[in-house]
Structures are given as C-alpha cells and as structure tokens.
C-alpha cells in the first residue's frame, strides 16, 4: 500500500513539475513573441501614444490661436470698413 502511495506521490510531483515547465515555456514564448512584435512595429513609422497626445494638444492650441487671430482680424476689418464708410 505504501508503494502505491509513493508511486502516486511521485506521479503527482512529476505532473506538477511538468505543469510548471509548460507554464514557464508559455510565458517565455509569449515574451519572445511580444519582443519580436515590438521590434517589427518599432521598424515602422508609428508614434507612441504619448507622442500622439502631445502633438494632438499642440494642434488644438494652434487651432484655438488661429480662431482668436481670425476673430481679431475680422474685428479690425469691420472697424476699418466702418471708418471708411463714415469718411467717404
């Protein structure tokens, strides 16, 4: 009876070791695939999320500034037009 328990214990230890090894191989394969994907994508002309967000914020600021300048120019032109119509 003890020999059967010892055999069963050895089998359980072997299976636990095999499961740990398979899990380790899986993690290693996933890390390797992720690294290869990063290298492949890095070779392309993609930008990071942080770079994209910075440029997006710059574009919004530039658009706001252009809108403000357009409003100032419209006000100056309207004032000049009003001045020229009162003079003439």
């Amino acid at each position: 009876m003890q020999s059967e328990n010892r055999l069963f214990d050895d089998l359980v230890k072997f299976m636990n070791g095999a499961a740990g090894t398979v899990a380790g191989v899986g993690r290693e394969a996933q890390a390797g695939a992720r690294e290869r994907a990063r290298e492949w994508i890095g070779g392309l002309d993609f930008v990071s999320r942080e770079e994209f967000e910075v440029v997006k914020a710059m574009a919004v600021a530039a658009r706001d500034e252009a809108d403000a300048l357009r409003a100032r120019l419209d006000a100056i032109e309207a004032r000049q037009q009003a001045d020229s119509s009162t003079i003439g």
Side-chain angles (χ1 to χ4, degrees):
M1 188 76 171
Q2 282 185 335
S3 65
E4 287 180 26
N5 284 340
R6 182 160 170 81
L7 180 65
F8 183 71
D9 287 343
D10 288 345
L11 181 63
V12 168
K13 287 179 185 176
F14 173 76
M15 294 302 286
N16 281 337
T21 301
V22 168
V25 168
R27 284 190 300 269
E28 195 70 28
Q30 183 180 18
R34 185 173 291 151
E35 184 60 33
R36 282 191 298 279
R38 279 193 187 122
E39 289 173 6
W40 180 74
I41 289 174
L44 302 175
D45 287 334
F46 288 126
V47 297
S48 68
R49 172 57 70 184
E50 293 82 22
E51 291 172 323
F52 175 79
E53 292 298 331
V54 167
V55 172
K56 182 178 173 183
M58 289 170 52
V60 168
R63 187 179 316 123
D64 292 344
E65 185 178 0
D67 289 343
L69 290 173
R70 184 176 301 118
R72 284 180 60 194
L73 180 61
D74 289 344
I76 290 170
E77 287 176 342
R79 194 170 41 228
Q80 283 181 342
Q81 200 171 36
D83 289 346
S84 67
S85 66
T86 57
I87 294 174

